Amino acid sequence: PDWLLSKIPDGVSYDMASLALCGFGPSFGAFDAMGVDAFDTVLITGAGAVGLGAVANATHRGARVIAVESIPYRVERAKMLGAEVVLDPRDTAALATLMALTGGRGVDKALDCSGVPAAQRFCIDATRRKGEVTFVGECSDPVEIRVSPDMIRKGLTIRGSWHYNLSLYPKIMQVIQSSPLAEHLISHTFPMREIQRAFEVSASHQCAKIILHPWE
């Protein structure tokens, strides 16, 4: 519907404006719901395009960022975008390391962008008492959420978030326009005629956000 087509501000390219969708968009809505700010330590699990956008969003808000990712390319890109530490999910000591990094408390807010049940559970375990956890990674597999120890006694707020409310669009554009990190979220651009090559790069995981130009 045409009322969903928000105007791109003057001076913002199509490539940069596209980051308002599955680049900055999902995490922006989640961070707005959780009220992430400069006083928070934020955990982000999964550093694909959405997770990398979350790192840049959290950094822009002034938060301290701890990420979880195993693919070396994305580990380095997460650090480039502002992650202080990137933990390997295959490391059995990852949770203990995170706790040591947070003085034994856990993170204030956690965001799963991977859609992997183990990562979602890691977010729950790694978040401090009365902290907040949000899921944006699509997942149809079950994740263990224990109502009493996780939500009643620990006091966690656990939510799902689907992109963002349209009223937030101007703020997302402000991030895209003002953040020096935004351009680093795009790793590849392809003309539409090379879409097969774009899919191959995406499948390799050696990428951040991939942009297609339908006019080429």
Side-chain angles (χ1 to χ4, degrees):
D2 58 3
W3 61 271
L4 285 173
L5 300 176
S6 300
K7 185 179 184 302
I8 297 173
D10 292 339
V12 178
S13 68
Y14 281 112
D15 283 8
M16 295 302 293
S18 72
L19 298 178
L21 301 175
C22 279
F24 283 106
S27 58
F28 193 96
F31 290 158
D32 184 74
M34 291 192 288
V36 170
D37 60 27
F39 296 98
D40 289 325
T41 295
V42 177
L43 169 66
I44 297 166
T45 52
V50 172
L52 290 170
V55 173
N57 261 327
T59 301
H60 188 76
R61 289 170 178 253
R64 177 193 185 197
V65 179
I66 298 173
V68 175
E69 177 58 57
S70 62
I71 297 171
Y73 179 97
R74 291 176 171 174
V75 169
E76 292 307 311
R77 186 65 60 133
K79 291 178 180 178
M80 178 192 299
L81 292 169
E84 178 183 309
V85 178
V86 182
L87 303 175
D88 189 332
R90 299 166 298 186
D91 182 358
T92 57
L95 183 59
T97 300
L98 181 143
M99 287 299 176
L101 290 168
T102 57
R105 296 174 67 247
V107 298
D108 301 295
K109 315 282 172 64
L111 179 68
D112 176 64
C113 302
S114 70
V116 176
Q120 294 169 339
R121 184 65 227 182
F122 188 88
C123 285
I124 293 170
D125 292 334
T127 301
R128 65 167 174 79
R129 291 176 59 81
K130 297 188 178 298
E132 298 185 51
V133 177
T134 299
F135 301 144
V136 299
E138 292 278 8
C139 181
S140 58
D141 296 322
V143 58
E144 181 188 11
I145 299 177
R146 303 167 301 181
V147 172
S148 181
D150 295 333
M151 300 179 71
I152 297 176
R153 295 182 179 273
K154 193 175 180 182
L156 292 181
T157 296
I158 301 174
R159 64 167 61 81
S161 180
W162 176 246
H163 277 268
Y164 57 91
N165 188 281
L166 198 59
S167 65
L168 295 175
Y169 177 78
K171 292 183 178 180
I172 295 176
M173 279 298 160
Q174 287 178 20
V175 175
I176 291 171
Q177 289 173 290
S178 63
S179 173
L181 300 173
E183 64 181 355
H184 297 300
L185 187 54
I186 300 172
S187 62
H188 298 79
T189 59
F190 292 98
M192 185 65 78
R193 64 178 180 274
E194 295 183 18
I195 190 170
Q196 181 59 37
R197 173 62 179 153
F199 275 124
E200 291 169 0
V201 172
S202 179
S204 75
H205 302 303
Q206 304 302 302
C207 59
K209 184 67 175 176
I210 298 173
I211 302 294
L212 289 172
H213 291 164
W215 54 84
E216 295 181 8

